[in-house]
Amino acid sequence: MKVSVTAVTVWGKIAPSHSITAIMITDDQQTIVTGSLEGQICLWDLSSELKISSKEILFGHTASVTCLAKARE
């Protein structure tokens, strides 16, 4: 059974910077993944109407994310 959990990120009045240094789109073309100079990875939903909306932001890298790659199953 697969459970879906909505991610919630809380920060102050200003969202963290995200200077994109790497970009990748998934095979199903529904998710864009970006890496940043600040060490974050962001996931973005891409609708069939080409609207982009933020999905998740992942923190934890101590250096810039300059490359993204898909993992094999």
Side-chain angles (χ1 to χ4, degrees):
M1 180 174 145
K2 188 174 182 178
V3 177
S4 178
V5 177
T6 303
V8 176
T9 304
V10 181
W11 48 72
K13 293 181 180 183
I14 301 172
S17 297
H18 186 74
S19 306
I20 295 174
T21 54
I23 190 166
M24 181 184 76
I25 190 164
T26 56
D27 290 335
D28 62 7
Q29 299 182 347
Q30 293 182 353
T31 303
I32 296 172
V33 183
T34 57
S36 78
L37 188 65
E38 296 80 16
Q40 307 151 356
I41 296 175
C42 290
L43 304 177
W44 309 84
D45 282 327
L46 179 61
S47 72
S48 56
E49 297 85 27
L50 300 179
K51 288 187 175 185
I52 300 171
S53 58
S54 60
K55 184 175 180 178
E56 294 178 59
I57 186 168
L58 309 171
F59 295 94
H61 288 85
T62 57
S64 299
V65 177
T66 58
C67 182
L68 297 166
K70 297 177 211 173
R72 296 184 195 177
E73 290 184 20

Short mmCIF file of all heavy atoms in Angstrom, two decimals:
data_model
loop_
_atom_site.label_atom_id
_atom_site.label_comp_id
_atom_site.label_asym_id
_atom_site.label_seq_id
_atom_site.Cartn_x
_atom_site.Cartn_y
_atom_site.Cartn_z
N MET A 1 0.84 -1.17 0.00
CA MET A 1 0.00 0.00 0.00
C MET A 1 0.89 1.24 0.00
O MET A 1 1.72 1.42 0.87
CB MET A 1 -0.89 -0.01 1.23
CG MET A 1 -1.80 1.16 1.33
SD MET A 1 -2.90 0.91 2.75
CE MET A 1 -3.05 2.56 3.28
N LYS A 2 0.72 2.09 -0.99
CA LYS A 2 1.49 3.31 -1.09
C LYS A 2 0.74 4.45 -0.43
O LYS A 2 -0.42 4.68 -0.71
CB LYS A 2 1.77 3.63 -2.56
CG LYS A 2 2.72 4.75 -2.75
CD LYS A 2 3.06 4.92 -4.22
CE LYS A 2 4.08 6.02 -4.40
NZ LYS A 2 4.47 6.18 -5.77
N VAL A 3 1.42 5.16 0.46
CA VAL A 3 0.81 6.27 1.18
C VAL A 3 1.41 7.57 0.66
O VAL A 3 2.62 7.69 0.51
CB VAL A 3 1.06 6.14 2.70
CG1 VAL A 3 0.48 7.32 3.43
CG2 VAL A 3 0.48 4.83 3.22
N SER A 4 0.58 8.54 0.39
CA SER A 4 1.03 9.84 -0.07
C SER A 4 1.04 10.82 1.10
O SER A 4 0.06 10.92 1.83
CB SER A 4 0.10 10.35 -1.17
OG SER A 4 0.50 11.61 -1.59
N VAL A 5 2.16 11.51 1.27
CA VAL A 5 2.29 12.48 2.34
C VAL A 5 2.60 13.84 1.72
O VAL A 5 3.51 13.96 0.91
CB VAL A 5 3.43 12.08 3.31
CG1 VAL A 5 3.61 13.14 4.39
CG2 VAL A 5 3.16 10.72 3.91
N THR A 6 1.85 14.85 2.09
CA THR A 6 2.09 16.19 1.60
C THR A 6 3.23 16.82 2.37
O THR A 6 3.23 16.83 3.60
CB THR A 6 0.82 17.06 1.75
OG1 THR A 6 -0.24 16.42 1.05
CG2 THR A 6 1.04 18.45 1.19
N ALA A 7 4.22 17.34 1.64
CA ALA A 7 5.35 18.00 2.29
C ALA A 7 4.99 19.44 2.62
O ALA A 7 4.35 20.12 1.83
CB ALA A 7 6.56 17.97 1.36
N VAL A 8 5.39 19.87 3.80
CA VAL A 8 5.15 21.25 4.23
C VAL A 8 6.49 21.83 4.65
O VAL A 8 7.20 21.25 5.46
CB VAL A 8 4.16 21.31 5.41
CG1 VAL A 8 4.01 22.74 5.90
CG2 VAL A 8 2.82 20.71 5.02
N THR A 9 6.83 22.97 4.08
CA THR A 9 8.06 23.65 4.44
C THR A 9 7.68 24.99 5.04
O THR A 9 6.87 25.71 4.49
CB THR A 9 8.95 23.87 3.21
OG1 THR A 9 9.20 22.61 2.60
CG2 THR A 9 10.25 24.52 3.58
N VAL A 10 8.26 25.29 6.17
CA VAL A 10 7.94 26.53 6.86
C VAL A 10 9.21 27.37 6.96
O VAL A 10 10.25 26.87 7.36
CB VAL A 10 7.37 26.25 8.27
CG1 VAL A 10 7.02 27.54 8.98
CG2 VAL A 10 6.15 25.35 8.19
N TRP A 11 9.14 28.62 6.56
CA TRP A 11 10.23 29.55 6.75
C TRP A 11 9.62 30.91 7.06
O TRP A 11 8.42 31.06 7.09
CB TRP A 11 11.18 29.61 5.56
CG TRP A 11 10.52 29.74 4.23
CD1 TRP A 11 9.90 30.84 3.72
CD2 TRP A 11 10.39 28.72 3.22
NE1 TRP A 11 9.40 30.58 2.47
CE2 TRP A 11 9.69 29.29 2.14
CE3 TRP A 11 10.81 27.40 3.14
CZ2 TRP A 11 9.40 28.58 0.99
CZ3 TRP A 11 10.51 26.71 1.98
CH2 TRP A 11 9.83 27.29 0.94
N GLY A 12 10.44 31.90 7.28
CA GLY A 12 9.97 33.24 7.61
C GLY A 12 9.27 33.92 6.45
O GLY A 12 8.72 33.27 5.57
N LYS A 13 9.31 35.22 6.43
CA LYS A 13 8.62 36.00 5.41
C LYS A 13 9.28 35.90 4.04
O LYS A 13 8.66 36.18 3.03
CB LYS A 13 8.54 37.47 5.82
CG LYS A 13 7.67 37.70 7.03
CD LYS A 13 7.60 39.15 7.39
CE LYS A 13 6.70 39.33 8.61
NZ LYS A 13 6.53 40.72 8.98
N ILE A 14 10.54 35.48 4.01
CA ILE A 14 11.27 35.37 2.74
C ILE A 14 11.67 33.92 2.51
O ILE A 14 12.31 33.29 3.36
CB ILE A 14 12.53 36.26 2.77
CG1 ILE A 14 12.14 37.73 3.01
CG2 ILE A 14 13.32 36.12 1.48
CD1 ILE A 14 13.31 38.65 3.24
N ALA A 15 11.29 33.38 1.35
CA ALA A 15 11.67 32.01 1.00
C ALA A 15 13.17 31.95 0.76
O ALA A 15 13.79 32.96 0.39
CB ALA A 15 10.92 31.57 -0.25
N PRO A 16 13.81 30.78 0.96
CA PRO A 16 15.25 30.68 0.73
C PRO A 16 15.58 30.90 -0.74
O PRO A 16 14.77 30.62 -1.62
CB PRO A 16 15.58 29.25 1.17
CG PRO A 16 14.29 28.53 1.23
CD PRO A 16 13.22 29.54 1.42
N SER A 17 16.79 31.40 -0.98
CA SER A 17 17.26 31.58 -2.37
C SER A 17 17.40 30.23 -3.03
O SER A 17 17.69 29.23 -2.38
CB SER A 17 18.61 32.29 -2.37
OG SER A 17 18.49 33.58 -1.83
N HIS A 18 17.22 30.21 -4.35
CA HIS A 18 17.40 28.97 -5.11
C HIS A 18 17.94 29.35 -6.49
O HIS A 18 17.20 29.51 -7.45
CB HIS A 18 16.07 28.21 -5.23
CG HIS A 18 16.21 26.85 -5.87
ND1 HIS A 18 16.78 25.79 -5.21
CD2 HIS A 18 15.89 26.40 -7.10
CE1 HIS A 18 16.78 24.73 -6.02
NE2 HIS A 18 16.25 25.07 -7.17
N SER A 19 19.26 29.56 -6.55
CA SER A 19 19.93 29.91 -7.80
C SER A 19 20.21 28.63 -8.56
O SER A 19 21.12 27.87 -8.21
CB SER A 19 21.24 30.64 -7.49
OG SER A 19 21.00 31.74 -6.64
N ILE A 20 19.44 28.37 -9.61
CA ILE A 20 19.49 27.08 -10.32
C ILE A 20 20.84 26.88 -11.01
O ILE A 20 21.29 27.74 -11.76
CB ILE A 20 18.33 26.97 -11.32
CG1 ILE A 20 17.01 26.95 -10.56
CG2 ILE A 20 18.48 25.73 -12.20
CD1 ILE A 20 15.78 26.99 -11.43
N THR A 21 21.45 25.72 -10.73
CA THR A 21 22.72 25.34 -11.35
C THR A 21 22.61 24.05 -12.14
O THR A 21 23.50 23.71 -12.90
CB THR A 21 23.81 25.16 -10.27
OG1 THR A 21 23.33 24.24 -9.29
CG2 THR A 21 24.15 26.48 -9.60
N ALA A 22 21.51 23.32 -11.95
CA ALA A 22 21.30 22.06 -12.67
C ALA A 22 19.79 21.84 -12.82
O ALA A 22 19.01 22.23 -11.94
CB ALA A 22 21.93 20.89 -11.92
N ILE A 23 19.39 21.24 -13.93
CA ILE A 23 17.97 20.98 -14.16
C ILE A 23 17.79 19.64 -14.87
O ILE A 23 18.63 19.25 -15.68
CB ILE A 23 17.32 22.13 -14.97
CG1 ILE A 23 15.81 21.98 -15.01
CG2 ILE A 23 17.93 22.24 -16.35
CD1 ILE A 23 15.08 23.24 -15.48
N MET A 24 16.73 18.93 -14.51
CA MET A 24 16.42 17.64 -15.10
C MET A 24 14.90 17.47 -15.14
O MET A 24 14.21 17.98 -14.26
CB MET A 24 17.05 16.53 -14.25
CG MET A 24 16.83 15.12 -14.78
SD MET A 24 17.51 13.87 -13.66
CE MET A 24 16.28 13.88 -12.38
N ILE A 25 14.39 16.79 -16.14
CA ILE A 25 12.96 16.48 -16.21
C ILE A 25 12.82 14.96 -16.18
O ILE A 25 13.63 14.23 -16.76
CB ILE A 25 12.30 17.10 -17.45
CG1 ILE A 25 10.78 16.98 -17.37
CG2 ILE A 25 12.86 16.53 -18.73
CD1 ILE A 25 10.02 17.85 -18.33
N THR A 26 11.81 14.48 -15.48
CA THR A 26 11.61 13.03 -15.36
C THR A 26 11.09 12.46 -16.68
O THR A 26 10.60 13.19 -17.54
CB THR A 26 10.61 12.71 -14.23
OG1 THR A 26 9.39 13.41 -14.48
CG2 THR A 26 11.18 13.13 -12.88
N ASP A 27 11.22 11.14 -16.82
CA ASP A 27 10.81 10.46 -18.06
C ASP A 27 9.33 10.67 -18.38
O ASP A 27 8.95 10.76 -19.54
CB ASP A 27 11.11 8.96 -17.99
CG ASP A 27 12.61 8.68 -18.05
OD1 ASP A 27 13.36 9.52 -18.61
OD2 ASP A 27 13.03 7.64 -17.54
N ASP A 28 8.49 10.76 -17.33
CA ASP A 28 7.06 10.95 -17.56
C ASP A 28 6.71 12.42 -17.85
O ASP A 28 5.57 12.77 -18.11
CB ASP A 28 6.23 10.44 -16.38
CG ASP A 28 6.50 11.17 -15.08
OD1 ASP A 28 7.24 12.19 -15.08
OD2 ASP A 28 5.96 10.72 -14.05
N GLN A 29 7.71 13.29 -17.80
CA GLN A 29 7.58 14.72 -18.08
C GLN A 29 6.55 15.41 -17.19
O GLN A 29 5.91 16.38 -17.59
CB GLN A 29 7.27 14.96 -19.57
CG GLN A 29 8.37 14.45 -20.46
CD GLN A 29 8.11 14.71 -21.93
OE1 GLN A 29 7.01 15.06 -22.33
NE2 GLN A 29 9.12 14.55 -22.74
N GLN A 30 6.42 14.94 -15.96
CA GLN A 30 5.49 15.55 -15.01
C GLN A 30 6.20 16.22 -13.84
O GLN A 30 5.57 16.94 -13.09
CB GLN A 30 4.51 14.50 -14.47
CG GLN A 30 3.58 13.97 -15.54
CD GLN A 30 2.58 12.96 -14.99
OE1 GLN A 30 2.66 12.54 -13.84
NE2 GLN A 30 1.64 12.57 -15.82
N THR A 31 7.51 15.99 -13.72
CA THR A 31 8.27 16.59 -12.63
C THR A 31 9.58 17.16 -13.16
O THR A 31 10.28 16.50 -13.93
CB THR A 31 8.58 15.55 -11.54
OG1 THR A 31 7.35 14.99 -11.06
CG2 THR A 31 9.32 16.17 -10.37
N ILE A 32 9.87 18.38 -12.75
CA ILE A 32 11.16 19.01 -13.04
C ILE A 32 11.95 19.00 -11.73
O ILE A 32 11.40 19.27 -10.66
CB ILE A 32 10.98 20.45 -13.53
CG1 ILE A 32 10.23 20.46 -14.87
CG2 ILE A 32 12.32 21.15 -13.67
CD1 ILE A 32 9.84 21.84 -15.34
N VAL A 33 13.23 18.67 -11.81
CA VAL A 33 14.11 18.67 -10.65
C VAL A 33 15.19 19.72 -10.89
O VAL A 33 15.79 19.75 -11.96
CB VAL A 33 14.76 17.28 -10.45
CG1 VAL A 33 15.62 17.25 -9.20
CG2 VAL A 33 13.71 16.18 -10.42
N THR A 34 15.40 20.59 -9.90
CA THR A 34 16.45 21.60 -10.02
C THR A 34 17.40 21.50 -8.84
O THR A 34 17.00 21.22 -7.72
CB THR A 34 15.88 23.03 -10.09
OG1 THR A 34 15.08 23.29 -8.93
CG2 THR A 34 15.04 23.24 -11.34
N GLY A 35 18.69 21.70 -9.13
CA GLY A 35 19.70 21.81 -8.09
C GLY A 35 20.11 23.27 -8.00
O GLY A 35 19.97 24.02 -8.96
N SER A 36 20.63 23.68 -6.84
CA SER A 36 20.93 25.10 -6.66
C SER A 36 22.33 25.35 -6.13
O SER A 36 22.96 24.47 -5.52
CB SER A 36 19.91 25.74 -5.73
OG SER A 36 20.19 25.42 -4.39
N LEU A 37 22.76 26.58 -6.32
CA LEU A 37 24.02 27.06 -5.80
C LEU A 37 24.04 26.96 -4.28
O LEU A 37 25.07 26.72 -3.66
CB LEU A 37 24.21 28.52 -6.24
CG LEU A 37 25.53 29.20 -5.97
CD1 LEU A 37 26.64 28.52 -6.78
CD2 LEU A 37 25.45 30.66 -6.34
N GLU A 38 22.87 27.10 -3.65
CA GLU A 38 22.75 27.07 -2.19
C GLU A 38 22.71 25.65 -1.62
O GLU A 38 22.59 25.47 -0.41
CB GLU A 38 21.48 27.81 -1.75
CG GLU A 38 21.48 29.29 -2.07
CD GLU A 38 21.14 29.60 -3.53
OE1 GLU A 38 20.60 28.73 -4.24
OE2 GLU A 38 21.43 30.71 -3.96
N GLY A 39 22.77 24.61 -2.45
CA GLY A 39 22.80 23.23 -1.98
C GLY A 39 21.44 22.59 -1.81
O GLY A 39 21.31 21.55 -1.17
N GLN A 40 20.41 23.16 -2.40
CA GLN A 40 19.06 22.59 -2.31
C GLN A 40 18.72 21.84 -3.60
O GLN A 40 19.25 22.13 -4.66
CB GLN A 40 18.03 23.71 -2.13
CG GLN A 40 18.31 24.63 -1.01
CD GLN A 40 17.75 26.02 -1.28
OE1 GLN A 40 17.22 26.31 -2.33
NE2 GLN A 40 17.90 26.89 -0.31
N ILE A 41 17.79 20.91 -3.46
CA ILE A 41 17.18 20.25 -4.61
C ILE A 41 15.69 20.52 -4.52
O ILE A 41 15.08 20.33 -3.47
CB ILE A 41 17.45 18.73 -4.62
CG1 ILE A 41 18.95 18.47 -4.77
CG2 ILE A 41 16.65 18.04 -5.72
CD1 ILE A 41 19.34 17.01 -4.68
N CYS A 42 15.10 21.01 -5.60
CA CYS A 42 13.67 21.31 -5.62
C CYS A 42 12.97 20.42 -6.65
O CYS A 42 13.50 20.16 -7.73
CB CYS A 42 13.41 22.77 -5.99
SG CYS A 42 13.89 23.91 -4.71
N LEU A 43 11.79 19.98 -6.29
CA LEU A 43 10.92 19.23 -7.19
C LEU A 43 9.75 20.12 -7.56
O LEU A 43 9.16 20.78 -6.70
CB LEU A 43 10.41 17.96 -6.51
CG LEU A 43 11.48 17.02 -5.96
CD1 LEU A 43 10.83 15.84 -5.25
CD2 LEU A 43 12.41 16.54 -7.05
N TRP A 44 9.44 20.16 -8.85
CA TRP A 44 8.37 21.01 -9.37
C TRP A 44 7.41 20.15 -10.18
O TRP A 44 7.83 19.32 -10.98
CB TRP A 44 8.96 22.08 -10.30
CG TRP A 44 10.08 22.86 -9.72
CD1 TRP A 44 11.41 22.50 -9.70
CD2 TRP A 44 10.01 24.13 -9.07
NE1 TRP A 44 12.15 23.48 -9.09
CE2 TRP A 44 11.33 24.49 -8.70
CE3 TRP A 44 8.96 24.99 -8.78
CZ2 TRP A 44 11.61 25.69 -8.05
CZ3 TRP A 44 9.26 26.18 -8.14
CH2 TRP A 44 10.56 26.52 -7.79
N ASP A 45 6.11 20.34 -9.98
CA ASP A 45 5.09 19.68 -10.80
C ASP A 45 4.96 20.43 -12.11
O ASP A 45 4.93 21.66 -12.12
CB ASP A 45 3.73 19.67 -10.10
CG ASP A 45 3.64 18.61 -9.02
OD1 ASP A 45 4.27 17.54 -9.19
OD2 ASP A 45 2.95 18.83 -8.03
N LEU A 46 4.86 19.71 -13.21
CA LEU A 46 4.64 20.29 -14.53
C LEU A 46 3.33 19.75 -15.07
O LEU A 46 3.19 18.55 -15.31
CB LEU A 46 5.79 19.94 -15.47
CG LEU A 46 5.71 20.45 -16.90
CD1 LEU A 46 5.67 21.98 -16.92
CD2 LEU A 46 6.89 19.95 -17.71
N SER A 47 2.34 20.61 -15.24
CA SER A 47 1.02 20.18 -15.71
C SER A 47 1.02 20.03 -17.23
O SER A 47 1.93 20.51 -17.91
CB SER A 47 -0.06 21.18 -15.29
OG SER A 47 0.05 22.36 -16.06
N SER A 48 -0.01 19.41 -17.76
CA SER A 48 -0.13 19.24 -19.20
C SER A 48 -0.31 20.59 -19.91
O SER A 48 -0.06 20.71 -21.09
CB SER A 48 -1.29 18.30 -19.54
OG SER A 48 -2.49 18.79 -18.98
N GLU A 49 -0.72 21.62 -19.14
CA GLU A 49 -0.85 22.97 -19.70
C GLU A 49 0.46 23.74 -19.55
O GLU A 49 0.51 24.95 -19.77
CB GLU A 49 -1.96 23.75 -18.99
CG GLU A 49 -3.34 23.17 -19.15
CD GLU A 49 -3.62 22.08 -18.11
OE1 GLU A 49 -3.02 22.10 -17.00
OE2 GLU A 49 -4.42 21.19 -18.42
N LEU A 50 1.53 23.05 -19.16
CA LEU A 50 2.87 23.61 -18.96
C LEU A 50 2.93 24.63 -17.82
O LEU A 50 3.75 25.54 -17.82
CB LEU A 50 3.42 24.23 -20.26
CG LEU A 50 3.56 23.26 -21.42
CD1 LEU A 50 4.09 23.98 -22.65
CD2 LEU A 50 4.47 22.10 -21.05
N LYS A 51 2.06 24.47 -16.82
CA LYS A 51 2.13 25.28 -15.61
C LYS A 51 3.07 24.58 -14.63
O LYS A 51 2.99 23.37 -14.43
CB LYS A 51 0.75 25.44 -14.97
CG LYS A 51 -0.16 26.35 -15.74
CD LYS A 51 -1.44 26.59 -14.95
CE LYS A 51 -2.31 27.60 -15.64
NZ LYS A 51 -3.48 27.93 -14.84
N ILE A 52 3.95 25.37 -14.02
CA ILE A 52 4.91 24.82 -13.06
C ILE A 52 4.54 25.28 -11.66
O ILE A 52 4.29 26.46 -11.43
CB ILE A 52 6.34 25.30 -13.41
CG1 ILE A 52 6.73 24.82 -14.81
CG2 ILE A 52 7.34 24.80 -12.38
CD1 ILE A 52 8.02 25.41 -15.31
N SER A 53 4.51 24.32 -10.72
CA SER A 53 4.23 24.66 -9.33
C SER A 53 5.19 23.89 -8.43
O SER A 53 5.55 22.75 -8.72
CB SER A 53 2.78 24.36 -8.96
OG SER A 53 2.48 23.00 -9.16
N SER A 54 5.61 24.52 -7.34
CA SER A 54 6.57 23.89 -6.45
C SER A 54 5.94 22.70 -5.74
O SER A 54 4.76 22.70 -5.42
CB SER A 54 7.11 24.90 -5.44
OG SER A 54 6.05 25.41 -4.68
N LYS A 55 6.74 21.68 -5.54
CA LYS A 55 6.26 20.46 -4.91
C LYS A 55 7.00 20.22 -3.59
O LYS A 55 6.38 20.09 -2.55
CB LYS A 55 6.49 19.29 -5.87
CG LYS A 55 5.98 17.96 -5.43
CD LYS A 55 6.19 16.96 -6.56
CE LYS A 55 5.70 15.60 -6.17
NZ LYS A 55 5.87 14.63 -7.27
N GLU A 56 8.33 20.16 -3.65
CA GLU A 56 9.14 19.92 -2.46
C GLU A 56 10.47 20.62 -2.60
O GLU A 56 10.96 20.82 -3.71
CB GLU A 56 9.42 18.42 -2.28
CG GLU A 56 8.21 17.58 -1.99
CD GLU A 56 8.57 16.10 -1.88
OE1 GLU A 56 9.41 15.77 -1.03
OE2 GLU A 56 8.02 15.32 -2.64
N ILE A 57 11.06 20.98 -1.49
CA ILE A 57 12.43 21.50 -1.47
C ILE A 57 13.21 20.65 -0.46
O ILE A 57 12.73 20.40 0.64
CB ILE A 57 12.48 23.00 -1.13
CG1 ILE A 57 13.90 23.55 -1.27
CG2 ILE A 57 11.89 23.30 0.22
CD1 ILE A 57 13.98 25.06 -1.24
N LEU A 58 14.35 20.17 -0.89
CA LEU A 58 15.16 19.28 -0.07
C LEU A 58 16.43 20.01 0.36
O LEU A 58 17.18 20.51 -0.48
CB LEU A 58 15.52 18.02 -0.86
CG LEU A 58 14.33 17.31 -1.52
CD1 LEU A 58 14.81 16.22 -2.45
CD2 LEU A 58 13.40 16.74 -0.46
N PHE A 59 16.66 20.11 1.66
CA PHE A 59 17.84 20.75 2.22
C PHE A 59 18.81 19.69 2.70
O PHE A 59 18.43 18.56 2.93
CB PHE A 59 17.45 21.63 3.42
CG PHE A 59 16.56 22.78 3.07
CD1 PHE A 59 15.19 22.66 3.17
CD2 PHE A 59 17.09 23.99 2.66
CE1 PHE A 59 14.35 23.73 2.87
CE2 PHE A 59 16.28 25.06 2.35
CZ PHE A 59 14.90 24.93 2.46
N GLY A 60 20.07 20.05 2.87
CA GLY A 60 21.01 19.12 3.48
C GLY A 60 22.37 19.08 2.83
O GLY A 60 23.35 18.73 3.48
N HIS A 61 22.47 19.43 1.57
CA HIS A 61 23.78 19.44 0.93
C HIS A 61 24.59 20.62 1.49
O HIS A 61 24.06 21.70 1.70
CB HIS A 61 23.65 19.59 -0.60
CG HIS A 61 23.14 18.37 -1.26
ND1 HIS A 61 21.79 18.10 -1.37
CD2 HIS A 61 23.78 17.33 -1.84
CE1 HIS A 61 21.63 16.95 -2.00
NE2 HIS A 61 22.81 16.46 -2.29
N THR A 62 25.88 20.39 1.68
CA THR A 62 26.74 21.45 2.19
C THR A 62 27.47 22.18 1.07
O THR A 62 28.18 23.15 1.32
CB THR A 62 27.77 20.88 3.19
OG1 THR A 62 28.52 19.85 2.53
CG2 THR A 62 27.07 20.32 4.42
N ALA A 63 27.31 21.73 -0.15
CA ALA A 63 27.93 22.37 -1.32
C ALA A 63 26.87 22.56 -2.40
O ALA A 63 25.76 22.03 -2.30
CB ALA A 63 29.07 21.50 -1.85
N SER A 64 27.21 23.30 -3.42
CA SER A 64 26.30 23.53 -4.54
C SER A 64 25.94 22.22 -5.23
O SER A 64 26.77 21.30 -5.31
CB SER A 64 26.95 24.45 -5.57
OG SER A 64 27.25 25.69 -5.00
N VAL A 65 24.72 22.11 -5.72
CA VAL A 65 24.30 20.96 -6.51
C VAL A 65 24.50 21.34 -7.96
O VAL A 65 23.79 22.18 -8.51
CB VAL A 65 22.82 20.60 -6.23
CG1 VAL A 65 22.38 19.45 -7.12
CG2 VAL A 65 22.61 20.27 -4.77
N THR A 66 25.53 20.77 -8.60
CA THR A 66 25.88 21.16 -9.95
C THR A 66 25.55 20.09 -11.00
O THR A 66 25.74 20.30 -12.18
CB THR A 66 27.37 21.49 -10.05
OG1 THR A 66 28.12 20.33 -9.64
CG2 THR A 66 27.73 22.66 -9.15
N CYS A 67 25.03 18.95 -10.54
CA CYS A 67 24.72 17.86 -11.45
C CYS A 67 23.57 17.04 -10.87
O CYS A 67 23.50 16.83 -9.67
CB CYS A 67 25.95 16.98 -11.64
SG CYS A 67 25.72 15.62 -12.80
N LEU A 68 22.66 16.61 -11.74
CA LEU A 68 21.56 15.74 -11.33
C LEU A 68 21.54 14.52 -12.24
O LEU A 68 21.84 14.63 -13.43
CB LEU A 68 20.22 16.49 -11.45
CG LEU A 68 20.04 17.70 -10.56
CD1 LEU A 68 18.84 18.53 -11.02
CD2 LEU A 68 19.86 17.27 -9.11
N ALA A 69 21.20 13.38 -11.71
CA ALA A 69 21.13 12.14 -12.50
C ALA A 69 19.99 11.28 -11.99
O ALA A 69 19.65 11.32 -10.80
CB ALA A 69 22.44 11.38 -12.41
N LYS A 70 19.40 10.51 -12.89
CA LYS A 70 18.32 9.59 -12.52
C LYS A 70 18.92 8.30 -11.99
O LYS A 70 19.92 7.80 -12.52
CB LYS A 70 17.46 9.27 -13.73
CG LYS A 70 16.76 10.47 -14.30
CD LYS A 70 16.00 10.07 -15.53
CE LYS A 70 15.96 11.24 -16.48
NZ LYS A 70 15.39 10.90 -17.75
N ALA A 71 18.31 7.75 -10.96
CA ALA A 71 18.74 6.47 -10.43
C ALA A 71 18.01 5.35 -11.18
O ALA A 71 16.88 5.52 -11.63
CB ALA A 71 18.42 6.37 -8.94
N ARG A 72 18.65 4.24 -11.32
CA ARG A 72 18.02 3.08 -11.94
C ARG A 72 17.12 2.39 -10.93
O ARG A 72 17.34 2.47 -9.73
CB ARG A 72 19.06 2.09 -12.43
CG ARG A 72 19.92 2.63 -13.51
CD ARG A 72 20.86 1.55 -13.98
NE ARG A 72 21.93 2.17 -14.77
CZ ARG A 72 22.93 1.50 -15.27
NH1 ARG A 72 23.03 0.20 -15.05
NH2 ARG A 72 23.85 2.09 -15.96
N GLU A 73 16.13 1.68 -11.42
CA GLU A 73 15.24 0.94 -10.51
C GLU A 73 15.95 -0.29 -10.00
O GLU A 73 16.78 -0.86 -10.61
CB GLU A 73 13.97 0.53 -11.25
CG GLU A 73 13.09 1.72 -11.55
CD GLU A 73 11.77 1.32 -12.19
OE1 GLU A 73 11.37 0.16 -12.07
OE2 GLU A 73 11.17 2.18 -12.83
#
